[in-house]
Amino acid sequence: QVHLVESGGGSVQPGGSLSLSCVTPGIFFRAHGMAWYRQAPGKERELVATITSDSATTYVNSVKGRFTCSRDNARNTLYLQMDSLKPEDTAVYFCNKDPKPWRTWGQGTQVIVSS
């Protein structure tokens, strides 16, 4: 049973930082590539960052140099450090497998960037 629990969102001013976490109990976490996705109001869900099982990362151009994705296989946890946040980063952030996300999604964690 896939269970994804995202946390760490909040409301910050432009230029601020947030650190997101995704816990994946019951999954053989270390075997899977993972990713962070986000969905802004009125928009489709988009892929933000990926990380392979051996921690190679990729980022969508809009967050390169500002976001850092990492993982702790011992804790079955995925992280997203977000710095220099912009209003356009406002969205609900989700984690899931990459490639081929599981059908089950977590509740996500809301990030609001506003002055």
Side-chain angles (χ1 to χ4, degrees):
Q1 183 77 20
V2 173
H3 190 208
L4 304 166
V5 182
E6 302 92 348
S7 64
S11 183
V12 296
Q13 293 186 342
S17 297
L18 285 172
S19 182
L20 307 185
S21 297
C22 166
V23 180
T24 63
I27 295 171
F28 188 38
F29 181 75
R30 66 179 65 243
H32 299 295
M34 296 293 294
W36 285 98
Y37 303 78
R38 68 185 178 187
Q39 187 166 18
K43 295 187 177 181
E44 293 189 353
R45 189 173 293 164
E46 68 166 340
L47 183 64
V48 175
T50 69
I51 186 166
T52 65
S53 58
D54 57 0
S55 295
T57 54
T58 65
Y59 301 92
V60 67
N61 283 341
S62 60
V63 308
K64 280 182 181 177
R66 301 188 298 119
F67 289 12
T68 303
C69 182
S70 61
R71 64 190 295 159
D72 184 340
N73 290 337
R75 297 175 185 268
N76 273 28
T77 303
L78 181 71
Y79 302 100
L80 186 68
Q81 177 64 39
M82 305 188 297
D83 298 316
S84 302
L85 282 161
K86 302 177 180 180
E88 51 263 44
D89 296 318
T90 294
V92 179
Y93 285 71
F94 303 87
C95 65
N96 210 313
K97 188 167 66 74
D98 177 78
K100 299 181 181 180
W102 290 297
R103 286 188 176 185
T104 301
W105 291 79
Q107 296 286 345
T109 187
Q110 175 78 59
V111 171
I112 298 173
V113 185
S114 174
S115 55

